[in-house]
mmCIF file of all heavy atoms in Angstrom:
data_model
loop_
_atom_site.group_PDB
_atom_site.id
_atom_site.type_symbol
_atom_site.label_atom_id
_atom_site.label_comp_id
_atom_site.label_asym_id
_atom_site.label_seq_id
_atom_site.Cartn_x
_atom_site.Cartn_y
_atom_site.Cartn_z
ATOM 1 N N ALA G 5 99.432 101.081 102.018
ATOM 2 C CA ALA G 5 99.442 99.636 101.835
ATOM 3 C C ALA G 5 98.600 98.955 102.853
ATOM 4 O O ALA G 5 98.103 97.857 102.588
ATOM 5 C CB ALA G 5 100.982 99.190 101.967
ATOM 6 N N ILE G 6 98.507 99.467 104.050
ATOM 7 C CA ILE G 6 97.739 98.884 105.165
ATOM 8 C C ILE G 6 96.216 99.044 104.681
ATOM 9 O O ILE G 6 95.467 98.003 104.686
ATOM 10 C CB ILE G 6 97.961 99.609 106.421
ATOM 11 C CG1 ILE G 6 99.367 99.430 106.907
ATOM 12 C CG2 ILE G 6 96.991 99.057 107.497
ATOM 13 C CD1 ILE G 6 99.641 100.273 108.138
ATOM 14 N N ALA G 7 95.860 100.197 104.207
ATOM 15 C CA ALA G 7 94.366 100.334 103.780
ATOM 16 C C ALA G 7 94.016 99.512 102.618
ATOM 17 O O ALA G 7 92.909 99.056 102.485
ATOM 18 C CB ALA G 7 94.182 101.870 103.472
ATOM 19 N N ALA G 8 94.974 99.187 101.757
ATOM 20 C CA ALA G 8 94.774 98.288 100.652
ATOM 21 C C ALA G 8 94.735 96.777 100.995
ATOM 22 O O ALA G 8 94.578 95.963 99.990
ATOM 23 C CB ALA G 8 95.849 98.667 99.509
ATOM 24 N N GLY G 9 95.028 96.505 102.196
ATOM 25 C CA GLY G 9 95.089 95.147 102.624
ATOM 26 C C GLY G 9 96.352 94.343 102.172
ATOM 27 O O GLY G 9 96.293 93.229 102.246
ATOM 28 N N GLN G 10 97.402 95.170 101.818
ATOM 29 C CA GLN G 10 98.624 94.504 101.340
ATOM 30 C C GLN G 10 99.558 94.017 102.445
ATOM 31 O O GLN G 10 100.347 93.148 102.261
ATOM 32 C CB GLN G 10 99.272 95.444 100.482
ATOM 33 C CG GLN G 10 98.574 95.882 99.169
ATOM 34 C CD GLN G 10 99.210 96.950 98.456
ATOM 35 O OE1 GLN G 10 100.151 97.603 98.942
ATOM 36 N NE2 GLN G 10 98.850 97.131 97.200
ATOM 37 N N LEU G 11 99.371 94.659 103.635
ATOM 38 C CA LEU G 11 100.190 94.167 104.791
ATOM 39 C C LEU G 11 99.545 94.638 106.073
ATOM 40 O O LEU G 11 98.558 95.432 106.132
ATOM 41 C CB LEU G 11 101.645 94.727 104.710
ATOM 42 C CG LEU G 11 101.769 96.264 104.520
ATOM 43 C CD1 LEU G 11 101.725 96.973 105.967
ATOM 44 C CD2 LEU G 11 103.128 96.582 103.898
ATOM 45 N N GLN G 12 100.045 93.881 107.139
ATOM 46 C CA GLN G 12 99.661 94.389 108.515
ATOM 47 C C GLN G 12 100.923 94.989 109.226
ATOM 48 O O GLN G 12 101.984 94.463 108.913
ATOM 49 C CB GLN G 12 99.230 93.156 109.373
ATOM 50 C CG GLN G 12 97.975 92.416 108.873
ATOM 51 C CD GLN G 12 97.720 91.188 109.677
ATOM 52 O OE1 GLN G 12 97.032 91.329 110.800
ATOM 53 N NE2 GLN G 12 98.042 90.032 109.266
ATOM 54 N N ILE G 13 100.764 95.875 110.054
ATOM 55 C CA ILE G 13 101.936 96.374 110.851
ATOM 56 C C ILE G 13 101.714 95.988 112.345
ATOM 57 O O ILE G 13 100.714 96.196 112.945
ATOM 58 C CB ILE G 13 101.970 97.935 110.758
ATOM 59 C CG1 ILE G 13 102.081 98.358 109.297
ATOM 60 C CG2 ILE G 13 103.156 98.456 111.643
ATOM 61 C CD1 ILE G 13 103.373 97.949 108.672
ATOM 62 N N ALA G 14 102.708 95.186 112.841
ATOM 63 C CA ALA G 14 102.746 94.893 114.126
ATOM 64 C C ALA G 14 103.690 95.828 114.905
ATOM 65 O O ALA G 14 104.852 95.790 114.763
ATOM 66 C CB ALA G 14 103.369 93.432 114.295
ATOM 67 N N LEU G 15 103.011 96.684 115.645
ATOM 68 C CA LEU G 15 103.770 97.775 116.273
ATOM 69 C C LEU G 15 104.245 97.406 117.629
ATOM 70 O O LEU G 15 103.351 97.039 118.576
ATOM 71 C CB LEU G 15 102.739 99.041 116.369
ATOM 72 C CG LEU G 15 102.357 99.691 115.032
ATOM 73 C CD1 LEU G 15 101.138 100.451 115.093
ATOM 74 C CD2 LEU G 15 103.514 100.433 114.472
ATOM 75 N N LEU G 16 105.431 97.649 117.919
ATOM 76 C CA LEU G 16 106.008 97.336 119.290
ATOM 77 C C LEU G 16 106.592 98.702 119.895
ATOM 78 O O LEU G 16 107.571 99.178 119.434
ATOM 79 C CB LEU G 16 107.119 96.270 119.176
ATOM 80 C CG LEU G 16 107.883 95.974 120.516
ATOM 81 C CD1 LEU G 16 106.985 95.350 121.398
ATOM 82 C CD2 LEU G 16 109.130 95.106 120.110
ATOM 83 N N PRO G 17 105.863 99.266 120.806
ATOM 84 C CA PRO G 17 106.276 100.655 121.345
ATOM 85 C C PRO G 17 107.452 100.478 122.209
ATOM 86 O O PRO G 17 107.489 99.571 123.018
ATOM 87 C CB PRO G 17 105.036 101.099 122.033
ATOM 88 C CG PRO G 17 104.317 99.826 122.397
ATOM 89 C CD PRO G 17 104.559 98.939 121.354
ATOM 90 N N VAL G 18 108.394 101.354 122.037
ATOM 91 C CA VAL G 18 109.626 101.427 122.888
ATOM 92 C C VAL G 18 109.832 102.892 123.387
ATOM 93 O O VAL G 18 109.162 103.768 122.823
ATOM 94 C CB VAL G 18 110.860 100.937 122.225
ATOM 95 C CG1 VAL G 18 110.758 99.402 121.903
ATOM 96 C CG2 VAL G 18 111.139 101.789 121.028
ATOM 97 N N ALA G 19 110.658 103.120 124.363
ATOM 98 C CA ALA G 19 110.998 104.429 124.790
ATOM 99 C C ALA G 19 112.366 104.887 124.404
ATOM 100 O O ALA G 19 113.283 104.488 125.202
ATOM 101 C CB ALA G 19 110.769 104.535 126.353
ATOM 102 N N GLY G 20 112.556 105.330 123.168
ATOM 103 C CA GLY G 20 113.933 105.643 122.705
ATOM 104 C C GLY G 20 114.291 107.065 122.953
ATOM 105 O O GLY G 20 115.508 107.438 122.744
ATOM 106 N N LEU G 21 113.343 107.930 123.259
ATOM 107 C CA LEU G 21 113.737 109.352 123.255
ATOM 108 C C LEU G 21 113.536 109.985 124.679
ATOM 109 O O LEU G 21 113.436 111.191 124.803
ATOM 110 C CB LEU G 21 112.848 110.153 122.286
ATOM 111 C CG LEU G 21 112.973 109.796 120.908
ATOM 112 C CD1 LEU G 21 111.957 110.566 120.027
ATOM 113 C CD2 LEU G 21 114.458 110.061 120.390
ATOM 114 N N ASP G 22 113.584 109.098 125.735
ATOM 115 C CA ASP G 22 113.398 109.594 127.135
ATOM 116 C C ASP G 22 114.347 110.724 127.503
ATOM 117 O O ASP G 22 114.074 111.667 128.221
ATOM 118 C CB ASP G 22 113.544 108.409 128.098
ATOM 119 C CG ASP G 22 112.209 107.850 128.240
ATOM 120 O OD1 ASP G 22 111.185 108.227 127.811
ATOM 121 O OD2 ASP G 22 112.137 106.708 128.924
ATOM 122 N N ASN G 23 115.639 110.617 127.021
ATOM 123 C CA ASN G 23 116.671 111.550 127.340
ATOM 124 C C ASN G 23 116.394 112.963 126.725
ATOM 125 O O ASN G 23 116.810 113.944 127.191
ATOM 126 C CB ASN G 23 117.963 111.120 126.795
ATOM 127 C CG ASN G 23 118.508 110.046 127.767
ATOM 128 O OD1 ASN G 23 118.103 109.768 128.736
ATOM 129 N ND2 ASN G 23 119.549 109.288 127.168
ATOM 130 N N HIS G 24 115.473 112.951 125.672
ATOM 131 C CA HIS G 24 115.154 114.189 125.071
ATOM 132 C C HIS G 24 113.750 114.799 125.430
ATOM 133 O O HIS G 24 113.454 115.948 125.204
ATOM 134 C CB HIS G 24 115.208 114.012 123.514
ATOM 135 C CG HIS G 24 116.487 113.564 123.062
ATOM 136 N ND1 HIS G 24 117.535 114.478 122.812
ATOM 137 C CD2 HIS G 24 116.937 112.306 122.673
ATOM 138 C CE1 HIS G 24 118.568 113.746 122.355
ATOM 139 N NE2 HIS G 24 118.247 112.482 122.311
ATOM 140 N N ASN G 25 112.897 113.908 126.104
ATOM 141 C CA ASN G 25 111.498 114.476 126.348
ATOM 142 C C ASN G 25 111.161 114.202 127.852
ATOM 143 O O ASN G 25 109.962 114.138 128.195
ATOM 144 C CB ASN G 25 110.535 113.894 125.491
ATOM 145 C CG ASN G 25 110.526 112.380 125.498
ATOM 146 O OD1 ASN G 25 110.839 111.696 126.477
ATOM 147 N ND2 ASN G 25 110.150 111.710 124.307
ATOM 148 N N ASN G 26 112.210 114.169 128.626
ATOM 149 C CA ASN G 26 111.970 114.035 130.137
ATOM 150 C C ASN G 26 111.107 112.775 130.518
ATOM 151 O O ASN G 26 110.267 112.872 131.396
ATOM 152 C CB ASN G 26 111.370 115.251 130.668
ATOM 153 C CG ASN G 26 111.478 115.452 132.203
ATOM 154 O OD1 ASN G 26 112.463 114.905 132.775
ATOM 155 N ND2 ASN G 26 110.552 116.110 132.869
ATOM 156 N N GLY G 27 111.305 111.602 129.892
ATOM 157 C CA GLY G 27 110.647 110.418 130.159
ATOM 158 C C GLY G 27 109.236 110.328 129.569
ATOM 159 O O GLY G 27 108.568 109.299 129.881
ATOM 160 N N GLN G 28 108.925 111.159 128.656
ATOM 161 C CA GLN G 28 107.492 111.063 128.256
ATOM 162 C C GLN G 28 107.310 109.908 127.200
ATOM 163 O O GLN G 28 106.227 109.498 126.986
ATOM 164 C CB GLN G 28 107.161 112.414 127.385
ATOM 165 C CG GLN G 28 107.139 113.678 128.409
ATOM 166 C CD GLN G 28 105.981 113.514 129.434
ATOM 167 O OE1 GLN G 28 104.951 113.216 129.080
ATOM 168 N NE2 GLN G 28 106.453 113.580 130.685
ATOM 169 N N SER G 29 108.395 109.547 126.575
ATOM 170 C CA SER G 29 108.273 108.317 125.718
ATOM 171 C C SER G 29 107.887 107.046 126.425
ATOM 172 O O SER G 29 107.056 106.290 125.955
ATOM 173 C CB SER G 29 109.643 108.070 124.916
ATOM 174 O OG SER G 29 109.838 109.138 123.941
ATOM 175 N N THR G 30 108.448 106.915 127.619
ATOM 176 C CA THR G 30 108.067 105.780 128.463
ATOM 177 C C THR G 30 106.545 105.814 128.886
ATOM 178 O O THR G 30 105.785 104.797 128.804
ATOM 179 C CB THR G 30 108.882 105.716 129.829
ATOM 180 O OG1 THR G 30 110.246 105.437 129.434
ATOM 181 C CG2 THR G 30 108.456 104.666 130.721
ATOM 182 N N LEU G 31 106.123 106.960 129.203
ATOM 183 C CA LEU G 31 104.685 107.066 129.570
ATOM 184 C C LEU G 31 103.763 106.793 128.373
ATOM 185 O O LEU G 31 102.790 106.169 128.472
ATOM 186 C CB LEU G 31 104.385 108.551 130.008
ATOM 187 C CG LEU G 31 105.143 108.848 131.393
ATOM 188 C CD1 LEU G 31 104.791 110.463 131.684
ATOM 189 C CD2 LEU G 31 104.738 107.964 132.496
ATOM 190 N N ALA G 32 104.242 107.225 127.149
ATOM 191 C CA ALA G 32 103.395 107.096 125.896
ATOM 192 C C ALA G 32 103.384 105.451 125.560
ATOM 193 O O ALA G 32 102.399 104.964 125.263
ATOM 194 C CB ALA G 32 103.963 107.855 124.754
ATOM 195 N N ALA G 33 104.551 104.943 125.686
ATOM 196 C CA ALA G 33 104.711 103.468 125.326
ATOM 197 C C ALA G 33 103.837 102.649 126.306
ATOM 198 O O ALA G 33 103.111 101.668 125.919
ATOM 199 C CB ALA G 33 106.116 102.982 125.252
ATOM 200 N N ARG G 34 104.002 103.007 127.642
ATOM 201 C CA ARG G 34 103.260 102.274 128.580
ATOM 202 C C ARG G 34 101.661 102.445 128.331
ATOM 203 O O ARG G 34 100.838 101.534 128.668
ATOM 204 C CB ARG G 34 103.599 102.597 129.994
ATOM 205 C CG ARG G 34 104.958 102.200 130.487
ATOM 206 C CD ARG G 34 105.309 102.672 131.838
ATOM 207 N NE ARG G 34 106.512 102.175 132.356
ATOM 208 C CZ ARG G 34 107.073 102.547 133.465
ATOM 209 N NH1 ARG G 34 106.525 103.476 134.220
ATOM 210 N NH2 ARG G 34 108.297 101.907 133.859
ATOM 211 N N SER G 35 101.286 103.632 128.067
ATOM 212 C CA SER G 35 99.886 103.893 127.768
ATOM 213 C C SER G 35 99.297 102.987 126.629
ATOM 214 O O SER G 35 98.184 102.518 126.818
ATOM 215 C CB SER G 35 99.601 105.333 127.599
ATOM 216 O OG SER G 35 100.053 105.707 126.167
ATOM 217 N N LEU G 36 100.167 102.794 125.687
ATOM 218 C CA LEU G 36 99.543 101.962 124.563
ATOM 219 C C LEU G 36 99.611 100.459 125.086
ATOM 220 O O LEU G 36 98.691 99.698 124.535
ATOM 221 C CB LEU G 36 100.600 102.101 123.276
ATOM 222 C CG LEU G 36 100.579 103.473 122.693
ATOM 223 C CD1 LEU G 36 101.573 103.411 121.503
ATOM 224 C CD2 LEU G 36 99.203 103.789 122.170
#
């Protein structure tokens, strides 16, 4: 749908899995 120009995605990164990946989600969200 994005490629067809039907919509835009507004991505808001969060860290929801820190308890499962030793804080890597926070690092990934901050990097974005």
